Amino acid sequence: MFCYQCEQTARTETSAGCASERGHCGKDATTADLQDLLVHATKGIAQYAGRLRALNAPDREADAFILYALFTTLTNVNFNAARFVTLLKEAATLRDAVRARYEAAARAAGQEPQVLATAAATWQPAADQAGLLLQAADVGINAGLEQVGADVTGLRALLLYGLKGVCAYAHHAYVLGEARETVFAGIEHALDFLAQDPADIPALLGESLALGTLNLQVMEMLDAANTGRFGTPQPTAVRLTPVAGKAILVSGHDLGDLQALLEQTKDSGIQIYTHGEMLPAHGYPVLKAYPHLAGNYGGAWQDQQLDFANFPGPVLMTSNCIIEPLPAYRQRIFTTGPVGWPGVRHVENHQFAQVIQAAKALPGFKATEPEQTITVGFGRDAVLGVAGAVIDAVKGGAIKHFYLIGGCDGAAPGRNYYSDFATQAPQDTVVMTLGCAKYRFNRHEFGDIGGIPRLLDIGQCNDAYSAIKIASALAEAFECGVNDLPLSLVISWFEQKAAAVLLTLLALGIRNIRLGPTLPAFLTPNLLGVLVEKFGIQPIGEAQADIRKTLQLEAA
């Protein structure tokens, strides 16, 4: 295996990348290699699906499979090698079916079908896992490194990893019934481009920024899916301490799974708790209307082994962020959707009867603890609803600066920087946050500025769309560009969704982003130099020093 798609990748003085029998995320070499081969297979599907779409005959089966398949290859999503053997066979069958549909549609339109000769378009799966692993050796992320060099390989990785994030967000929207042909077309185009082993650096950079633009549309689409189904987020106090009774813990990102479980547990006496990136669910009116949505339990995804072990009920893991289940809770954790772990029970199609049965059999919380709360739900509508007061506070000097401190959390050293930055930010500044990085400081008492809370929890990582809309509205109100606002972006990245969001910010021309705790391993010194020159991107430093720099830049 070779993998450097996430922040926790192995690093040495001379190289970076997990290349042993087991990655730092817990993924074994077999699963990692099969995932590389699945990415390769989706390129072939996309090549034919894109040509079929150009004939005004889009293939929804292919669209949905590409989203799901690429989602399963994200960090901390699916670790079940057997599942990937099955997906590879499905991919080959689907690719051949889409090719046949394309050829028929082309002839019906009076055209001669193109004969595609790329490796992805002609690949045929080996008969068994051992044969598939031999095929995977030729299609890993660093395939062709000796021929094209580290810069081209790194840009291919940036495009692919951003594309994985785009597909994950698009899948979240798709399962809620939101889909756009322009999004599917953009995803197919990017996969088709990668299938041709591009080696032109300007073209790769251009495609990466185009993907960032596409991801903005995808995040808008997911925002529409979430608000259309669950209502517009509202500032809401969320209980952090348990109440007595049977309980189920829901982690991951999928709000549709949470709603289905809430519906199936109505009047059952079972309390439902959120974990990790599910915390923002409490701000949505439709979800918080369920009286048994009791609160949030635990912290960010990397704390799950302790949180899940201490939780006295079953755990439902949705979408992503799973870590190897410990023996203490392995028999009471369930996965659904794209998530998977060998030996863990998997449920599909919102059939949560087993989870509910487990909750009834387990003890639940014996007593109600004294109430503690935090407030979530400061989406763009809530913030812009008081835009007048915010603008007056800026003009009057009460608010000197805004910080967006967001992104992924993780266990690597250096992430205390984000809590230090947030808690040490001057009292006349406002901190906006999104993603699970908020758990490092969301219990801190920030106070308010003239009734405006100093800490505004905007939501999940995909709610970067709300942050962008807030920044754009402020720029319009002050008749300036976003880069001219008293606003600094301090981003913690971990995996491929973060890569997609970063590309969106760069595509929008947003400059001087501070990124950490370490820079992506696939960004070579030359590529980093390009990003510094074009966008002013910079690694994080020491929190207090970085705060002073942002305020000095504003004064200048």
Side-chain angles (χ1 to χ4, degrees), residues 242-304:
V243 295
K246 305 290 187 178
I248 297 173
L249 186 62
V250 185
S251 192
H253 296 71
D254 199 298
L255 300 180
D257 289 332
L258 175 61
Q259 184 190 31
L261 181 63
L262 286 166
E263 192 64 28
Q264 292 175 37
T265 50
K266 283 194 306 186
D267 304 320
S268 67
I270 299 172
Q271 306 292 330
I272 307 299
Y273 295 83
T274 57
H275 178 270
E277 280 273 63
M278 281 293 197
L279 170 61
H282 295 267
Y284 288 93
V286 169
L287 296 176
K288 72 178 186 177
Y290 288 93
H292 61 304
L293 182 60
N296 191 75
Y297 180 89
W301 68 273
Q302 78 276 4
D303 298 328
Q304 68 185 254

Coordinates of all heavy atoms in Angstrom, one line a residue, residues 242-304:
P242 N -26.2 13.5 30.4 CA -27.3 12.5 30.1 C -28.5 12.7 31.0 O -28.4 13.2 32.1 CB -26.5 11.2 30.2 CG -25.4 11.5 31.2 CD -25.0 12.9 30.9
V243 N -29.6 12.1 30.5 CA -30.8 11.9 31.3 C -31.0 10.4 31.5 O -30.6 9.6 30.7 CB -32.0 12.6 30.6 CG1 -31.8 14.1 30.5 CG2 -32.3 12.0 29.3
A244 N -31.7 10.1 32.6 CA -31.9 8.7 32.9 C -32.7 8.0 31.8 O -33.7 8.6 31.3 CB -32.6 8.6 34.3
G245 N -32.4 6.8 31.5 CA -33.1 6.0 30.6 C -32.3 5.3 29.5 O -31.1 5.5 29.4
K246 N -33.0 4.5 28.7 CA -32.3 3.8 27.6 C -31.8 4.8 26.6 O -32.4 5.8 26.4 CB -33.3 2.8 27.0 CG -34.0 1.8 27.9 CD -33.0 0.8 28.4 CE -33.7 -0.3 29.2 NZ -32.7 -1.4 29.7
A247 N -30.8 4.4 25.9 CA -30.2 5.4 25.0 C -29.5 4.8 23.8 O -29.0 3.6 23.8 CB -29.1 6.2 25.8
I248 N -29.4 5.6 22.7 CA -28.7 5.2 21.5 C -27.8 6.5 21.1 O -28.3 7.6 21.2 CB -29.7 4.9 20.3 CG1 -30.5 3.7 20.6 CG2 -28.9 4.7 19.0 CD1 -31.6 3.4 19.6
L249 N -26.6 6.2 20.7 CA -25.7 7.3 20.3 C -25.5 7.2 18.8 O -25.2 6.1 18.2 CB -24.3 7.1 21.0 CG -23.3 8.2 20.8 CD1 -23.8 9.5 21.4 CD2 -22.0 7.8 21.5
V250 N -25.6 8.4 18.1 CA -25.5 8.4 16.7 C -24.3 9.3 16.3 O -24.3 10.5 16.7 CB -26.8 9.0 16.0 CG1 -26.7 8.9 14.5 CG2 -28.0 8.2 16.5
S251 N -23.4 8.8 15.6 CA -22.2 9.5 15.2 C -22.1 9.6 13.7 O -22.8 8.9 12.9 CB -20.9 8.9 15.8 OG -19.8 9.8 15.7
G252 N -21.1 10.3 13.2 CA -21.0 10.5 11.7 C -21.5 11.8 11.3 O -21.4 12.8 12.0
H253 N -22.1 11.9 10.1 CA -22.6 13.1 9.5 C -24.0 13.1 8.9 O -24.6 14.1 8.6 CB -21.7 13.5 8.3 CG -20.3 13.8 8.7 ND1 -19.4 12.9 9.0 CD2 -19.6 15.0 8.7 CE1 -18.2 13.4 9.3 NE2 -18.3 14.7 9.1
D254 N -24.6 11.9 8.8 CA -25.8 11.8 8.0 C -27.1 12.1 8.8 O -27.6 11.3 9.6 CB -25.9 10.3 7.4 CG -26.9 10.3 6.2 OD1 -28.1 10.5 6.5 OD2 -26.4 9.9 5.1
L255 N -27.6 13.3 8.5 CA -28.8 13.7 9.2 C -30.1 12.9 8.8 O -31.0 12.8 9.7 CB -29.1 15.2 8.9 CG -28.0 16.2 9.3 CD1 -28.4 17.6 9.0 CD2 -27.6 16.0 10.8
G256 N -30.1 12.3 7.6 CA -31.2 11.5 7.2 C -31.3 10.2 8.1 O -32.4 9.8 8.5
D257 N -30.1 9.6 8.4 CA -30.1 8.5 9.2 C -30.6 8.8 10.6 O -31.4 8.0 11.2 CB -28.7 7.9 9.3 CG -28.2 7.2 8.0 OD1 -29.1 6.7 7.3 OD2 -27.0 7.2 7.8
L258 N -30.2 10.0 11.1 CA -30.7 10.4 12.4 C -32.2 10.6 12.5 O -32.8 10.1 13.4 CB -30.0 11.7 12.8 CG -30.4 12.3 14.1 CD1 -30.2 11.4 15.3 CD2 -29.7 13.7 14.3
Q259 N -32.7 11.2 11.5 CA -34.2 11.4 11.5 C -34.9 10.1 11.4 O -35.9 9.9 12.1 CB -34.6 12.3 10.3 CG -36.1 12.6 10.3 CD -36.6 13.3 9.0 OE1 -36.0 13.0 7.9 NE2 -37.6 14.1 9.1
A260 N -34.4 9.2 10.6 CA -35.1 7.9 10.5 C -35.1 7.2 11.8 O -36.1 6.5 12.2 CB -34.4 7.0 9.4
L261 N -34.0 7.2 12.5 CA -33.9 6.6 13.9 C -34.8 7.3 14.8 O -35.5 6.6 15.7 CB -32.4 6.6 14.4 CG -32.2 5.9 15.7 CD1 -32.5 4.5 15.7 CD2 -30.8 6.2 16.2
L262 N -34.9 8.6 14.8 CA -35.8 9.3 15.7 C -37.2 8.9 15.4 O -38.0 8.8 16.4 CB -35.6 10.9 15.5 CG -34.3 11.5 16.1 CD1 -34.1 12.9 15.5 CD2 -34.4 11.5 17.6
E263 N -37.6 8.8 14.2 CA -38.9 8.4 13.8 C -39.3 7.0 14.3 O -40.4 6.8 14.9 CB -39.1 8.5 12.3 CG -40.5 8.4 11.9 CD -41.4 9.6 12.3 OE1 -40.9 10.7 12.5 OE2 -42.6 9.3 12.5
Q264 N -38.3 6.1 14.2 CA -38.5 4.7 14.6 C -38.5 4.5 16.1 O -38.9 3.5 16.6 CB -37.5 3.8 14.0 CG -37.7 3.7 12.5 CD -36.6 2.9 11.8 OE1 -36.1 1.9 12.3 NE2 -36.1 3.3 10.6
T265 N -38.0 5.5 16.9 CA -37.9 5.3 18.3 C -38.9 6.3 19.1 O -38.9 6.4 20.3 CB -36.5 5.7 18.8 OG1 -36.1 6.9 18.3 CG2 -35.6 4.5 18.4
K266 N -39.8 6.9 18.3 CA -40.8 7.7 19.0 C -41.6 6.9 20.0 O -42.0 5.8 19.7 CB -41.8 8.3 17.9 CG -41.2 9.5 17.1 CD -42.3 10.2 16.4 CE -43.1 9.3 15.5 NZ -44.1 10.1 14.6
D267 N -41.9 7.5 21.1 CA -42.7 6.9 22.2 C -42.2 5.6 22.7 O -42.9 4.8 23.3 CB -44.1 6.7 21.7 CG -44.8 8.0 21.2 OD1 -44.5 9.1 21.9 OD2 -45.4 8.0 20.2
S268 N -40.9 5.3 22.5 CA -40.3 4.0 22.9 C -39.6 4.2 24.3 O -39.3 3.1 24.9 CB -39.3 3.6 21.9 OG -38.2 4.4 21.9
G269 N -39.5 5.4 24.7 CA -38.7 5.6 26.0 C -37.2 5.6 25.8 O -36.5 5.8 26.8
I270 N -36.8 5.5 24.5 CA -35.3 5.5 24.3 C -34.9 6.9 23.9 O -35.5 7.6 23.1 CB -35.0 4.6 23.1 CG1 -35.4 3.1 23.4 CG2 -33.5 4.6 22.7 CD1 -35.2 2.2 22.3
Q271 N -33.8 7.4 24.6 CA -33.3 8.7 24.3 C -32.2 8.6 23.2 O -31.4 7.7 23.2 CB -32.7 9.3 25.5 CG -33.6 9.4 26.7 CD -34.8 10.3 26.5 OE1 -34.6 11.3 25.8 NE2 -35.9 10.0 27.1
I272 N -32.2 9.6 22.3 CA -31.2 9.6 21.2 C -30.2 10.7 21.5 O -30.6 11.9 21.7 CB -31.9 9.8 19.8 CG1 -33.0 8.8 19.6 CG2 -30.8 9.7 18.7 CD1 -32.5 7.3 19.6
Y273 N -28.9 10.4 21.4 CA -27.9 11.4 21.6 C -27.0 11.4 20.4 O -26.8 10.5 19.7 CB -27.0 10.9 22.8 CG -27.6 10.9 24.1 CD1 -28.4 9.8 24.5 CD2 -27.5 12.0 25.0 CE1 -29.0 9.8 25.8 CE2 -28.2 12.0 26.2 CZ -28.9 10.9 26.6 OH -29.6 10.8 27.8
T274 N -26.5 12.6 20.1 CA -25.6 12.8 19.0 C -24.2 12.8 19.5 O -23.9 13.0 20.6 CB -25.9 14.2 18.3 OG1 -25.8 15.2 19.2 CG2 -27.3 14.2 17.6
H275 N -23.3 12.6 18.5 CA -21.8 12.5 18.8 C -21.1 13.1 17.6 O -21.5 13.0 16.5 CB -21.4 11.1 19.0 CG -19.9 10.9 19.3 ND1 -19.0 10.7 18.3 CD2 -19.2 10.9 20.5 CE1 -17.8 10.6 18.8 NE2 -17.9 10.8 20.1
G276 N -19.9 13.8 17.9 CA -19.1 14.2 16.8 C -19.8 15.3 15.9 O -20.4 16.2 16.4
E277 N -19.7 15.0 14.6 CA -20.2 16.0 13.6 C -21.7 16.0 13.6 O -22.3 16.8 12.9 CB -19.7 15.7 12.2 CG -18.3 16.2 12.0 CD -18.3 17.6 11.5 OE1 -18.7 18.5 12.3 OE2 -17.9 17.9 10.4
M278 N -22.4 15.2 14.4 CA -23.9 15.2 14.5 C -24.4 16.3 15.4 O -25.6 16.6 15.4 CB -24.4 13.9 15.0 CG -24.4 12.8 13.9 SD -25.7 13.2 12.7 CE -25.9 11.6 11.9
L279 N -23.5 16.9 16.2 CA -23.9 18.0 17.1 C -24.8 19.1 16.4 O -25.8 19.5 17.0 CB -22.6 18.6 17.7 CG -22.8 19.9 18.5 CD1 -23.7 19.6 19.7 CD2 -21.5 20.5 19.0
P280 N -24.5 19.6 15.2 CA -25.3 20.6 14.6 C -26.7 20.2 14.4 O -27.6 21.1 14.1 CB -24.6 21.0 13.3 CG -23.1 20.6 13.6 CD -23.2 19.3 14.4
A281 N -27.0 18.9 14.4 CA -28.4 18.5 14.2 C -29.4 19.1 15.1 O -30.6 19.3 14.7 CB -28.5 16.9 14.3
H282 N -29.0 19.5 16.3 CA -29.9 20.1 17.3 C -30.4 21.4 16.9 O -31.4 21.9 17.4 CB -29.2 20.1 18.6 CG -28.8 18.8 19.2 ND1 -29.7 18.1 20.1 CD2 -27.7 18.0 19.0 CE1 -29.1 17.0 20.4 NE2 -27.9 16.9 19.8
G283 N -29.8 22.1 15.9 CA -30.2 23.4 15.5 C -31.3 23.4 14.4 O -32.0 24.4 14.1
Y284 N -31.6 22.2 13.8 CA -32.6 22.1 12.8 C -34.0 21.9 13.4 O -34.2 21.0 14.2 CB -32.3 20.9 11.9 CG -31.1 21.2 10.9 CD1 -29.8 20.8 11.3 CD2 -31.3 21.8 9.7 CE1 -28.7 21.0 10.5 CE2 -30.2 22.0 8.9 CZ -28.9 21.6 9.3 OH -27.8 21.8 8.4
P285 N -34.9 22.7 13.1 CA -36.3 22.7 13.7 C -36.9 21.3 13.7 O -37.5 20.9 14.6 CB -37.1 23.7 12.9 CG -36.1 24.7 12.4 CD -34.8 23.9 12.1
V286 N -36.9 20.7 12.5 CA -37.6 19.4 12.4 C -36.9 18.3 13.3 O -37.7 17.5 13.9 CB -37.5 18.9 10.9 CG1 -38.0 17.4 10.8 CG2 -38.4 19.8 10.0
L287 N -35.6 18.3 13.4 CA -35.0 17.3 14.3 C -35.1 17.7 15.7 O -35.4 16.8 16.5 CB -33.5 17.2 13.9 CG -33.2 16.8 12.5 CD1 -31.7 16.8 12.2 CD2 -33.7 15.4 12.2
K288 N -35.0 18.9 16.1 CA -35.1 19.2 17.5 C -36.5 19.2 18.1 O -36.7 19.2 19.3 CB -34.4 20.6 17.8 CG -35.2 21.8 17.3 CD -34.5 23.1 17.8 CE -35.2 24.3 17.4 NZ -34.6 25.6 17.9
A289 N -37.5 19.0 17.1 CA -38.8 18.9 17.6 C -39.1 17.5 18.2 O -40.1 17.3 18.9 CB -39.8 19.1 16.4
Y290 N -38.2 16.6 17.9 CA -38.4 15.2 18.6 C -37.9 15.4 20.0 O -36.8 15.6 20.3 CB -37.5 14.2 17.9 CG -38.0 13.8 16.5 CD1 -37.5 14.5 15.3 CD2 -38.9 12.7 16.3 CE1 -37.9 14.1 14.1 CE2 -39.3 12.4 15.1 CZ -38.8 13.0 13.9 OH -39.3 12.6 12.7
P291 N -38.9 15.2 21.0 CA -38.5 15.4 22.4 C -37.5 14.4 22.9 O -36.8 14.7 23.9 CB -39.8 15.2 23.1 CG -40.7 14.4 22.1 CD -40.3 14.8 20.8
H292 N -37.3 13.3 22.2 CA -36.3 12.3 22.7 C -34.9 12.5 22.1 O -34.0 11.6 22.3 CB -36.8 10.9 22.5 CG -37.1 10.4 21.1 ND1 -38.0 11.1 20.3 CD2 -36.6 9.4 20.4 CE1 -38.0 10.5 19.1 NE2 -37.2 9.5 19.2
L293 N -34.7 13.6 21.3 CA -33.4 14.0 20.9 C -32.8 14.7 22.1 O -33.0 15.9 22.3 CB -33.4 14.9 19.7 CG -32.0 15.3 19.1 CD1 -31.2 14.1 18.7 CD2 -32.2 16.3 18.0
A294 N -32.1 13.9 23.0 CA -31.9 14.3 24.3 C -30.7 15.2 24.5 O -30.6 16.1 25.4 CB -31.6 13.0 25.2
G295 N -29.7 15.1 23.6 CA -28.5 16.0 23.7 C -27.3 15.4 23.0 O -27.5 14.5 22.1
N296 N -26.1 15.9 23.3 CA -24.9 15.5 22.6 C -24.0 14.8 23.7 O -23.9 15.3 24.8 CB -24.2 16.7 22.0 CG -23.0 16.2 21.1 OD1 -23.3 15.8 20.0 ND2 -21.8 16.4 21.6
Y297 N -23.4 13.7 23.3 CA -22.6 13.0 24.3 C -21.2 12.9 23.7 O -21.0 12.4 22.6 CB -23.2 11.6 24.5 CG -22.4 10.7 25.5 CD1 -22.7 10.8 26.9 CD2 -21.4 9.9 25.1 CE1 -22.0 10.0 27.8 CE2 -20.7 9.1 26.0 CZ -20.9 9.2 27.3 OH -20.2 8.4 28.2
G298 N -20.2 13.2 24.5 CA -18.8 13.0 24.1 C -18.3 14.2 23.2 O -18.8 15.3 23.2
G299 N -17.1 13.9 22.6 CA -16.5 15.0 21.8 C -16.3 14.7 20.4 O -17.2 14.1 19.7
A300 N -15.2 15.0 19.8 CA -14.9 14.8 18.4 C -14.7 13.4 18.0 O -14.5 12.5 18.9 CB -13.8 15.7 17.9
W301 N -14.6 13.1 16.7 CA -14.5 11.7 16.3 C -13.3 10.9 16.9 O -13.4 9.7 17.2 CB -14.4 11.7 14.7 CG -13.0 12.2 14.2 CD1 -12.7 13.5 14.0 CD2 -11.9 11.5 14.0 NE1 -11.4 13.6 13.6 CE2 -10.9 12.4 13.5 CE3 -11.5 10.1 14.0 CZ2 -9.6 12.0 13.2 CZ3 -10.2 9.7 13.7 CH2 -9.3 10.7 13.3
Q302 N -12.2 11.6 17.1 CA -11.0 10.9 17.6 C -11.1 10.4 19.1 O -10.3 9.7 19.6 CB -9.7 11.7 17.4 CG -9.5 12.8 18.4 CD -10.2 14.1 18.1 OE1 -11.0 14.1 17.1 NE2 -10.0 15.1 18.8
D303 N -12.2 10.9 19.7 CA -12.4 10.5 21.1 C -13.4 9.4 21.2 O -13.8 9.0 22.3 CB -13.0 11.7 21.9 CG -12.1 12.9 22.0 OD1 -10.9 12.7 22.0 OD2 -12.6 14.1 22.0
Q304 N -13.8 8.8 20.1 CA -14.9 7.9 20.1 C -14.6 6.6 20.9 O -15.5 6.0 21.5 CB -15.3 7.5 18.7 CG -14.3 6.7 17.8 CD -14.8 6.5 16.4 OE1 -15.2 5.4 16.1 NE2 -14.8 7.6 15.6

